[in-house]
Amino acid sequence: MFVADADNAQEILVGSAANYVPQSGFLRIGPGTLSEETRAAASRGLRSVLARHDLKASFDAQSAIRDVSGSCGRLQHQRWGVSLVRRYFSPAIAYQRSAELNALVDKYVTSSVIADDIVGRRAGRPHRSIRHIRAGFANQLASLPDPGSDVQDLAGLVLSLPGELTLMDRAQLLQRLVLSTVGFTGVTLEWVIMLGIQHGYNTPALEPGQVRHLVHEALRLYPTAWRLAREAAVDHQIGDIPVRKGEHVLIGTHAIHRSGTVWDNPLEFDPSRWEAATREQRRAYLPFGKGDEMCPANGFAVKALEHLSYLILHDYRGNVRIRRRKPHARTLLAPPAGWTHLSKR
């Protein structure tokens, strides 16, 4: 069943969430979701790890943009945002860890997050290097000391989680947390910068409040999690339609965000609509999902996006070239193929 109604989506994700199998795209091992205790500890730990690092002060935007630019100074869509955000969150992912562990993180980002989840050249079949990367993560985790209560990064977080988890389980969790932290944030950054340039927001007169609305509107029109899936745990009904145990329900985030019953001029890019968003609009806004299974990147990802978008749009001139108009839909909804060029003011 495909759901494109905001009220039904709210009911599925929050009101009658008990009718569905607990499901998280990140806090799981294989197809199975972690226990409620472990998921709660992971969510708390993730927020704690991000709070202890002053990422704004440690990040050198000019150097990072130079590093992720091509030979002609172009930022290639579907790649550059994730690569830049990987650098931004580097202290929180593997704080002062070995070069081997950081190299594995880089390889995972390029061979899986970009190649599989964004570009999707191997849709449905992860790159053959992923199992080797996971084994490498497990070996690196085995060599780390017990973090105890002093969890400094994602590597320490997966080691500290309660439950009977093997090193390979914890290695898989590290991969999923990197995807949560880097993948969705990086793709959204590309959307924000591309749309900001196209609509005249890259100016020294830009204010932080405008960036906040710009990020919200980019996530409304182009939610990277463009659909949410839930599996029915019991027989029940959505409205008048019966749903049987084991059946899957798809929530069309992209469709709900463009519904004319909720949004005025829904296909127009209009950040100013967020200056006075209605309660109904906020209920229909689902870029990270809702309820207990919402994406753990919610919160810190938005803060990172606001900071990075302000730095880039305020301090750089830019122009955009795209080769096709349609977004690139794979696991994540990415900008169309093309490039963005930035030059320091």
Side-chain angles (χ1 to χ4, degrees):
M1 179 186 296
F2 183 82
V3 174
D5 175 79
D7 290 335
N8 284 334
Q10 183 81 14
E11 180 64 18
I12 292 167
L13 296 174
V14 181
S16 62
N19 288 336
Y20 299 87
V21 176
Q23 181 174 332
S24 171
F26 306 101
L27 302 179
R28 61 185 174 91
I29 302 297
T33 302
L34 297 173
S35 69
E36 184 176 351
E37 176 192 11
T38 306
R39 283 184 287 130
S43 296
R44 289 194 304 269
L46 184 57
R47 291 191 294 269
S48 177
V49 165
L50 271 296
R52 73 178 297 160
H53 294 280
D54 189 355
L55 300 176
K56 292 182 178 181
S58 63
F59 183 68
D60 184 344
Q62 188 170 357
S63 174
I65 290 171
R66 182 175 61 248
D67 289 346
V68 303
S69 298
S71 58
C72 299
R74 295 176 179 178
L75 301 171
Q76 187 176 2
H77 295 170
Q78 303 165 20
R79 291 169 175 80
W80 76 265
V82 169
S83 297
L84 187 141
V85 170
R86 156 68 178 117
R87 287 161 173 77
Y88 183 81
F89 284 116
S90 180
I93 295 173
Y95 181 65
Q96 296 182 347
R97 301 294 189 182
S98 67
E100 291 83 359
L101 178 54
N102 278 286
L104 284 169
V105 173
D106 289 333
K107 189 173 183 180
Y108 172 66
V109 168
T110 56
S111 63
S112 181
V113 177
I114 293 176
D116 294 330
D117 298 304
I118 298 174
V119 178
R121 291 176 180 171
R122 289 170 286 274
R125 187 180 62 182
H127 192 273
R128 60 184 178 275
S129 68
I130 299 307
R131 63 179 181 273
H132 300 299
I133 295 173
R134 185 170 299 168
F137 276 145
N139 289 334
Q140 289 294 316
L141 292 174
S143 68
L144 299 180
D146 182 353
S149 60
D150 186 27
V151 176
Q152 301 185 48
D153 54 18
L154 298 188
L157 173 59
V158 298
L159 279 177
S160 71
L161 291 177
E164 296 182 1
L165 301 172
T166 67
L167 279 173
M168 287 295 283
D169 291 340
R170 297 178 191 274
Q172 184 178 157
L173 283 174
L174 179 57
Q175 289 177 309
R176 295 191 184 283
L177 286 173
V178 170
L179 171 60
S180 170
T181 304
V182 171
F184 284 75
T185 314
V187 169
T188 303
L189 180 65
E190 290 190 13
W191 279 117
V192 174
I193 299 306
M194 187 184 80
L195 293 167
I197 291 172
Q198 290 176 326
H199 292 270
Y201 283 85
N202 61 318
T203 166
L206 182 68
E207 298 179 357
Q210 291 177 294
V211 178
R212 187 173 302 111
H213 297 152
L214 180 60
V215 170
H216 275 71
E217 184 68 349
L219 280 169
R220 182 190 70 83
L221 270 180
Y222 302 103
T224 52
W226 54 278
R227 76 280 187 270
L228 305 170
R230 292 293 184 269
E231 179 184 347
V234 297
D235 293 348
H236 63 284
Q237 285 188 298
I238 300 177
D240 296 328
I241 301 176
V243 179
R244 303 304 179 194
K245 179 180 178 180
E247 291 183 344
H248 287 80
V249 176
L250 289 180
I251 299 172
T253 313
H254 186 271
I256 293 171
H257 283 191
R258 292 165 173 251
S259 171
T261 62
V262 178
W263 313 92
D264 296 329
N265 302 315
L267 302 184
E268 290 186 9
F269 180 77
D270 181 14
S272 67
R273 74 173 77 240
W274 292 99
E275 294 173 4
T278 66
R279 181 177 180 274
E280 181 185 14
Q281 289 169 343
R282 295 191 182 280
R283 277 173 51 87
Y285 184 63
L286 307 169
F288 299 97
K290 291 275 188 179
D292 292 339
E293 309 303 332
M294 71 188 307
C295 176
N298 181 39
F300 71 80
V302 174
K303 291 180 180 179
L305 285 167
E306 291 175 0
H307 177 230
L308 291 171
S309 299
Y310 180 79
L311 288 179
I312 295 172
L313 293 172
H314 182 272
D315 294 347
Y316 287 81
R317 298 182 182 89
N319 59 80
V320 174
R321 294 289 184 272
I322 56 176
R323 294 201 296 268
R324 55 180 299 182
R325 297 181 62 184
K326 292 184 178 180
H328 189 72
R330 290 296 184 268
T331 303
L332 308 181
L333 185 68
W339 52 265
T340 294
H341 184 274
L342 299 176
S343 59
K344 184 76 172 174
R345 293 190 186 280

